[in-house]
Every structure is written in C-alpha cells, then in structure tokens.
Amino acid sequence: MSVSELKERHAVATETVNNLRERLRQRRIQLLDTDVAKYSVAQGRSPVKFGATDLVCCRTLLGHTGKVYSLDWTPERNRIVSASQDGRLIVWNALTSQKTHAIKLPCAWVMTCAFSPNGQTVACGGLDSVCSIFSLSSTADKDGTVPVSRMLSGHRGYVSCCQYVPNEDAHLITSSGDQTCVLWDVTTGLKTSVFGGEFQSGHTADVLSVSISGSNPNWFISGSCDTTACLWDTRAASRAVRTFHGHEGDVNTVKFFPDGYRFGTGSDDGTCRLYDLRTGHQLQVYQANGGDGENLPVTSIAFSASGRLLFAGYANNSTCYVWDTLLGEVVLDLGELQDSHKNRISCLGMSADGSALCTGSWDSNLKIWAFGGHRRVI
C-alpha cells in the first residue's frame, strides 16, 4: 500500500471518528434534561456567602527569589514543598512559616514538585526531562546541595507534573511533553507502565497535568494540550478508559473531586469544567471573562474538602476566583482581599483536612489562606 493510499485512509477514518463524536455529543445533549445549576436552584440552594474575615491570609512564606511554579502539601497538613525558578525546592513549616529544607536543584528549570505520602521524600521535575527524588533525611553540604537519592529518567520531553500514588511511597506518576504518562517504581527507578505514546490510545500532544483518585488509586486523570482529559487505569495501560471532550484550548490542570468519582479541569480557553466519570457527562462549566471581554487562561485549580468550592488561579494579575460548584457563580476573588499576591497565581493547593489553602505566585511568595468563623450553607 502506497503512502498516498495510507494518507487517504487516515483522512477518511479521522472524518468518521469526528462524525461519530459529534453524533454522540448531540445525543448526550438530548438526554440532558437539566444541569447542576438549574437543579440546585430548583432545590432551593443559595450561593455560598463570604464575610470580610471568612477567608484571610494568615501566613506569607518568604524565601524564594524567582517565580514559584509548583507546591504540594504533606498528608499531615503542616508542611509544604514549593519549587521555584530560582532553582530551589523549599520545604516549609506551614504553622510557623519557617524553612526546614532548602534544596539546590541540578536543573533550575523546575516545573513540578510533590511530597511522598510519608513526608520523608520530595520529587520534582522540569525541562531536564528527569524526575528527581530527594530524601529529606539526607545531609546537605555547605552550599545547600542535597544528593539525589533517585533519578527517574526515560521521558523524551519535559516533566510537567508528578504525583505520588496515595499511601504508596514506592510508586509515582509523571506526565510529560512526550505525550505520555509513566507509572514509576521509585525503589528501582524503573518504569512500571507507560500510558499513551507510540500507541494512538491516549493524548496526541503534551500532557500537562495528572491527578490520582483518592477513592481508587488505580485511576488517574491527565490533561493535555490536545484539549482533552483522559481517564486511565494503571492495571490496563494499553489505552485510556475514557476521553473527555469540551475544552477549546490546552487543558493546563486537572483535579479529582473529593469523592473520587468526578474531576475538574482548567484550560487556556478560560473555563473550568466539572466531569462525571461514571456517565462521561460534563456537569458544569465555570467561565469568567477579563475586563476587556477576553478569556483568562486557568493555571491551577483545587477543591475544598466538601467539594462545594472550586479555587481557580488565572493567568492575570493576582486573580484567583472561588466558585460555588453547584450554582456556577463566583463567590470571592482572592486577588481583591487584603495581603493578596502582586502577580500571577501560578499554583495552589488545599491542605489534607481542608482547613487552609496555599497559593504560589510569580511574585516569588507563597501565601496561606485560612477559613475563619462559621457559615451556614443552604
């Protein structure tokens, strides 16, 4: 078979798939008799209300000298690790604002970092295409250099995100610009499974983010520049379990809902979306426009412990909207609060118990926001 014939067959197959996808979308629209917001209003739900002191900045973590790109909490909620363009990982005591570790990285172009479930090691990755593991019990030299305890090398593109499998210090999942995700055995430094890549069963562009289900650690979601999010099962790496469409731009961030059966996404198209794993339906769209009417790309998202609130950072000066996930309304903007960031909020994360939110920014600082008072949510 000639190359021209293969190209023709490929074009026909692509058109067929696109037609089937459109028919499926139209059929789903016909089956949707309501949406989450309309149903919530019909049930008498009202938006969450915030008072002047309900969410306040209680800590500002100073120490980085470059843009903060990533952060992560420990499961015991009192420590944070952050990665910055200054080429350092810093481990913070969230209660006292003190730095407990400042690790000098072999590659300054870091994009992601993560705590292990036991809090004894941290992982990071970036433009060096390697995920580096550091033990916090290792002794640093006078320059602050901590020896790398393990280097997970095998990606052919930058490492965009890394996350430990819950309750498993020996396994970690990374996403990369080589269009794949990889499950690693940290103890041996070897790949356990590769998701996507050579087999056209997953993403067709850079993978930017991953999130692992808290209810089923075999499931994880990935978001990509191909405008889709994919559900994967680590027990069957041959192809994605389900692909979720709807976005019109790069999917920069994905995050599982607290119950583990839904997940949220944030995209360059200026929207956050909520999907259901069991039905495959898109449940809600959260869209905010800038002052000039243009869409604001979403950089990071996080859910509150109950899932009622969605925190979303945007590629705009200090904008971080708090959405009511049921009604799809903005109930607060952290950028308008006292002691807010002075530049783009590039990353954020909720503590394990849901009592505090940490945000990282291009202004080189991290801020911890705590909930105060008691509110009755209807």
Side-chain angles (χ1 to χ4, degrees):
M1 186 176 295
S2 66
V3 175
S4 59
E5 291 175 333
L6 286 174
K7 289 182 177 180
E8 183 178 352
R9 291 183 61 182
H10 180 269
V12 172
T14 300
E15 183 179 0
T16 301
V17 170
N18 290 335
N19 290 336
L20 289 172
R21 182 179 293 132
E22 180 61 23
R23 288 174 58 188
L24 180 61
R25 189 182 70 86
Q26 294 296 336
R27 181 57 179 163
R28 283 179 171 170
I29 291 176
Q30 293 176 4
L31 294 174
L32 289 175
D33 55 350
T34 185
D35 58 27
V36 175
K38 292 179 181 178
Y39 179 80
S40 300
V41 172
Q43 295 297 312
R45 298 277 185 169
S46 59
V48 177
K49 300 296 183 182
F50 279 90
T53 60
D54 282 342
L55 189 62
V56 296
C57 178
C58 60
R59 296 282 189 277
T60 298
L61 307 182
L62 305 173
H64 282 300
T65 58
K67 298 175 181 177
V68 178
Y69 278 106
S70 180
L71 65 87
D72 191 30
W73 288 82
T74 51
E76 72 271 16
R77 81 181 186 281
N78 61 349
R79 287 188 297 160
I80 299 169
V81 62
S82 59
S84 169
Q85 196 179 35
D86 60 12
R88 288 188 181 274
L89 285 182
I90 295 182
V91 179
W92 310 82
N93 185 319
L95 301 179
T96 65
S97 304
Q98 293 180 332
K99 295 185 286 290
T100 60
H101 297 80
I103 302 172
K104 186 178 181 180
L105 300 175
C107 175
W109 299 101
V110 63
M111 300 178 68
T112 181
C113 62
F115 254 119
S116 63
N118 65 7
Q120 299 302 310
T121 61
V122 291
C124 69
L127 297 187
D128 58 355
S129 305
V130 173
C131 183
S132 302
I133 311 294
F134 296 90
S135 174
L136 298 182
S137 61
S138 300
T139 303
D141 60 22
K142 61 181 180 180
D143 295 326
T145 302
V146 174
V148 179
S149 61
R150 183 71 65 184
M151 296 186 70
L152 309 179
S153 58
H155 279 300
R156 292 173 295 177
Y158 60 88
V159 175
S160 57
C161 186
C162 63
Q163 188 175 355
Y164 278 90
V165 177
N167 303 318
E168 294 186 31
D169 300 294
H171 292 95
L172 177 145
I173 295 177
T174 57
S175 62
S176 171
D178 62 11
Q179 306 179 13
T180 69
C181 300
V182 173
L183 173 64
W184 300 87
D185 186 328
V186 177
T187 57
T188 63
L190 300 177
K191 297 178 181 179
T192 300
S193 301
V194 178
F195 307 89
E198 296 180 0
F199 303 100
Q200 295 301 314
S201 58
H203 292 296
T204 58
D206 300 14
V207 186
L208 300 179
S209 179
V210 295
S211 179
I212 305 174
S213 171
S215 62
N216 185 349
N218 295 310
W219 291 349
F220 74 93
I221 290 289
S222 59
S224 169
C225 289
D226 62 10
T227 74
T228 68
C230 287
L231 170 66
W232 302 88
D233 191 319
T234 57
R235 297 164 295 186
S238 59
R239 63 178 59 251
V241 176
R242 176 168 284 167
T243 300
F244 298 84
H245 299 269
H247 281 293
E248 299 177 356
D250 299 354
V251 179
N252 296 322
T253 177
V254 293
K255 194 70 176 179
F256 261 102
F257 202 73
D259 66 2
Y261 293 105
R262 283 167 280 267
F263 70 94
T265 59
S267 170
D268 272 352
D269 63 13
T271 67
C272 299
R273 297 171 189 254
L274 183 65
Y275 294 90
D276 189 284
L277 295 182
R278 293 163 292 188
T279 64
H281 283 299
Q282 176 181 285
L283 301 178
Q284 190 71 284
V285 179
Y286 311 96
Q287 184 166 15
N289 295 321
D292 54 2
E294 294 183 0
N295 293 329
L296 300 176
V298 183
T299 59
S300 54
I301 62 172
F303 289 101
S304 63
S306 67
R308 183 65 188 270
L309 300 177
L310 170 65
F311 301 87
Y314 292 81
N316 191 33
N317 189 24
S318 72
T319 300
C320 181
Y321 288 144
V322 183
W323 292 89
D324 185 316
T325 56
L326 287 182
L327 300 176
E329 298 181 12
V330 176
V331 295
L332 188 67
D333 181 4
L334 298 187
E336 296 179 352
L337 299 183
Q338 187 177 6
D339 299 324
S340 62
H341 287 287
K342 305 302 181 185
N343 208 325
R344 174 191 298 193
I345 295 177
S346 54
C347 54
L348 49 81
M350 183 68 64
S351 63
D353 64 351
S355 63
L357 174 79
C358 184
T359 56
S361 170
W362 282 13
D363 63 9
S364 305
N365 300 328
L366 295 99
K367 292 181 181 291
I368 299 176
W369 306 82
F371 296 94
H374 300 276
R375 296 182 308 281
R376 182 170 179 263
V377 179
I378 300 176

